[in-house]
Amino acid sequence: MSSTLQIKTRFKEADREVEQPVSPTGQYFNSKKLSICVLGVLESEVPIHIDISGTMKLLQDVFLPINSRFSSIMVHDKKGVKQWKRVKVDLQEHIHVPNVPDGLSMESYDDIFDKYLTKIAMEQMPQDRPLWELHLTKYPTSKAAGHCIFKLHHALGDGFSLMGALLSCLQRADDPSLPLTFPSLQPSSEPRNIPKAIPGCVPRTLSTIYNTTCDFSWSVLKSSLIADDKTPIRSNCGAVELQPVRISTVALSLDLIKQIKTELGATINDVLTGIVFLGTRLYMQATGKQFGSSQSTALVLLNTRNINGYKSLDEMLKPDSRTKWGNQFAFLHVGLPELSDNLSSDPLEFISEAQEIIHRNKNSLAVYLTGQSLDTIRKCKGSEAAAEYIHTTLKNSSMTVSNMIGPVEQMSLANHPCKGLYFMVVGVPQSLTITILSYMRTLRIAVGVERGHIDVQKFNSCIEHAFQLIYKAAMKGARV
């Protein structure tokens, strides 16, 4: 069964100055130590003809009413606590249209877009105006006839919230009156080729205590004392978040991923995590065989709302809603499986290990305890100390993996059909960030790397090779 989404927007508050407290996570992500943003990139199927006045009208009528935070800045109250304060928005300050010469080669336009994406990824958000921007590139590239790039500060909300906001600005290209539908999140009913994470003979309570103790202890150590090895995916240089980045993408068939999922009795998330881990290890080993077993940890982002699919903005904006707007996620430390010399023997082990770790997490309270620990640090030492803790957690690991679902149908923005869609988290103190988003039966894996340290084209090739290895192994099992 596909999930559906029908979003309608309206003003939630009068057009006046209103102050609301900034959530703890919002304070962490916009602090002296951290400034993390999300880039949402829409690839237009046709040249972008919308002018500034038309863009301003779209933002004024559709985007700003979604949430008061899009019309607010962060300020400190008399007690020094950060608040969202409503301000008058000068839309011209938020719209950017780069001026590029006509008649250049496609390779030149690709290079210009690549450098422009790097530029806006590295720029800090001005704190004297609402924390978002819109960039329109009206020149063609090999991927699209034009691009619409939303830059949104992570303090505004997490991927779930921001994706819901973005989708509310878009319509179904075939029939705007119909709701968007999304791929099913349900796993296959019975795993066949991958063992269950928790033996049935172990009492659930004891298993929960054991898993919680191990996972939470490991998380604390990784967030404070133990850092990953310096490897081809981790430069370990100081202030890596200030280094230039390069963003590229790999496209995989969602239908083929589902075939693997069905055969293995896994989830799409299990399969994707296994592909990313295997591809990463292939890249590391291609750089040097000794890196196939180096200590490397991924932070996998989990949506803590415990719901399936997106909800209406009306429901997300309710104060007591369990789907409420904001940053409702947690980090899960996952060690990258080692890569043996005889990889071809069983590449499915990478999915097996990913599934075991993720399923074990469902029988562990480590994520809850980690959140409570962070809140204790904030209450005792302040939000800046908590932000420092998160910064160290990210810096000590090698990569972050984030996965979201997108619509099955093609969407359009102001009558511009959207050919492709992906997102990237920037400002993270890591050399490698991977995000995954489905759209129109295609999975787009976006890879953000530290320039000069990771060869992104070679890395992408390793991801594609990992997919082929896993697909062939899964289909071979289906024929047996």
Side-chain angles (χ1 to χ4, degrees):
M1 294 293 291
S2 297
S3 58
T4 62
L5 174 71
Q6 181 73 64
I7 292 179
K8 294 182 179 180
T9 62
R10 58 184 175 85
F11 282 103
K12 295 295 175 182
E13 300 166 344
D15 188 13
R16 59 186 176 87
E17 184 178 290
V18 178
E19 291 189 9
Q20 296 178 344
V22 178
S23 69
T25 308
Q27 296 181 51
Y28 308 153
F29 284 169
N30 190 26
S31 61
K32 295 177 181 178
K33 200 65 180 180
L34 288 173
S35 181
I36 299 178
C37 296
V38 179
L39 301 181
V41 183
L42 285 77
E43 298 170 336
S44 179
E45 196 170 66
V46 299
I48 296 179
H49 297 300
I50 186 171
D51 56 17
I52 294 296
S53 61
T55 304
M56 291 176 61
K57 178 174 175 53
L58 178 66
L59 294 173
Q60 184 69 53
D61 296 343
V62 179
F63 181 71
L64 293 185
I66 292 173
N67 194 299
S68 62
R69 295 184 188 181
F70 297 142
S71 303
S72 303
I73 62 173
M74 278 192 188
V75 298
H76 290 86
D77 63 13
K78 295 180 179 179
K79 297 181 179 180
V81 179
K82 289 184 178 179
Q83 305 279 338
W84 290 110
K85 179 180 179 180
R86 289 286 293 269
V87 297
K88 184 177 181 180
V89 182
D90 184 351
L91 290 173
Q92 292 190 16
E93 293 182 339
H94 295 263
I95 303 172
H96 305 271
V97 183
N99 188 15
V100 176
D102 296 328
L104 300 181
S105 66
M106 193 62 70
E107 291 77 11
S108 296
Y109 283 129
D110 282 346
D111 184 60
I112 290 172
F113 180 76
D114 178 58
K115 292 178 179 178
Y116 187 73
L117 206 56
T118 295
K119 174 179 175 293
I120 63 176
M122 301 306 298
E123 290 177 341
Q124 294 294 308
M125 283 278 196
Q127 296 294 308
D128 59 351
R129 59 178 184 249
L131 300 173
W132 62 269
E133 296 173 352
L134 174 63
H135 299 258
L136 298 175
T137 63
K138 298 187 177 183
Y139 52 88
T141 65
S142 58
K143 296 289 181 67
H147 292 81
C148 175
I149 307 167
F150 280 90
K151 183 176 182 180
L152 303 158
H153 203 288
H154 220 317
L156 296 169
D158 58 12
F160 182 89
S161 299
L162 299 180
M163 179 59 70
L166 180 60
L167 292 175
S168 71
C169 299
L170 301 164
Q171 296 176 317
R172 277 183 61 157
D174 58 345
D175 187 344
S177 66
L178 295 176
L180 298 166
T181 62
F182 297 82
S184 171
L185 296 177
Q186 299 301 317
S188 299
S189 57
E190 192 66 36
R192 290 180 289 174
N193 294 339
I194 299 179
K196 293 182 181 295
I198 304 172
C201 61
V202 179
R204 185 174 182 83
T205 301
L206 294 178
S207 178
T208 299
I209 294 173
Y210 176 79
N211 290 337
T212 299
T213 302
C214 293
D215 294 344
F216 180 64
S217 299
W218 177 242
S219 177
V220 171
L221 289 173
K222 290 299 298 180
S223 297
S224 55
L225 300 175
I226 302 177
D228 282 357
D229 297 332
K230 181 179 179 181
T231 66
I233 65 168
R234 183 173 184 268
S235 67
N236 199 28
C237 74
V240 66
E241 63 270 27
L242 302 180
Q243 300 299 315
V245 300
R246 186 176 181 189
I247 300 171
S248 183
T249 65
V250 176
L252 301 178
S253 167
L254 180 58
D255 291 334
L256 296 184
I257 295 291
K258 285 184 174 181
Q259 288 183 30
I260 300 173
K261 159 186 171 287
T262 300
E263 177 57 29
L264 301 183
T267 66
I268 289 179
N269 189 52
D270 295 335
V271 175
L272 290 175
T273 303
I275 291 172
V276 168
F277 284 1
L278 176 55
T280 302
R281 280 297 191 192
L282 288 172
Y283 175 80
M284 295 171 69
Q285 191 177 68
T287 306
K289 285 192 174 181
Q290 71 275 19
F291 295 119
S293 59
S294 59
Q295 175 64 50
S296 298
T297 307
L299 290 176
V300 179
L301 269 64
L302 302 175
N303 182 359
T304 58
R305 291 176 177 85
N306 194 28
I307 57 175
N308 290 327
Y310 299 105
K311 303 300 179 182
S312 70
L313 288 177
D314 280 345
E315 183 173 350
M316 290 172 65
L317 293 172
K318 292 178 180 178
D320 57 348
S321 172
R322 68 188 183 99
T323 65
K324 65 181 179 180
W325 183 286
N327 284 286
Q328 308 291 324
F329 70 92
F331 292 115
L332 173 64
H333 284 89
V334 181
L336 267 67
E338 295 184 5
L339 185 63
S340 63
D341 293 333
N342 189 21
L343 168 67
S344 58
S345 60
D346 193 6
L348 299 181
E349 281 298 317
F350 277 77
I351 296 179
S352 175
E353 293 203 31
Q355 186 186 40
E356 182 176 350
I357 293 171
I358 293 172
H359 284 197
R360 188 184 68 187
N361 178 70
K362 296 178 181 179
N363 194 37
S364 169
L365 301 176
V367 170
Y368 171 78
L369 291 178
T370 300
Q372 290 298 307
S373 298
L374 196 62
D375 196 48
T376 300
I377 294 173
R378 177 182 63 85
K379 291 178 179 178
C380 296
K381 298 183 178 180
S383 60
E384 290 293 338
E388 173 75 30
Y389 185 86
I390 295 175
H391 183 275
T392 304
T393 300
L394 293 163
K395 182 174 63 71
N396 284 356
S397 59
S398 297
M399 59 190 290
T400 299
V401 181
S402 179
N403 178 15
M404 295 184 63
I405 62 169
V408 173
E409 300 85 13
Q410 185 175 32
M411 301 180 295
S412 66
L413 176 65
N415 297 319
H416 290 71
C418 181
K419 180 181 179 181
L421 177 65
Y422 61 93
F423 74 101
M424 176 52 59
V425 181
V426 296
V428 180
Q430 294 174 318
S431 300
L432 176 62
T433 303
I434 294 179
T435 62
I436 307 170
L437 179 64
S438 65
Y439 176 57
M440 290 201 309
R441 313 199 73 80
T442 296
L443 280 166
R444 203 72 174 272
I445 301 178
V447 181
V449 304
E450 178 186 348
R451 280 184 182 266
H453 184 69
I454 298 177
D455 184 339
V456 72
Q457 293 182 341
K458 184 177 181 180
F459 187 91
N460 289 352
S461 296
C462 290
I463 293 291
E464 292 172 339
H465 184 45
F467 166 71
Q468 293 296 332
L469 287 173
I470 287 176
Y471 180 76
K472 289 178 181 178
M475 294 304 101
K476 182 179 180 180
R479 293 191 294 269
V480 173

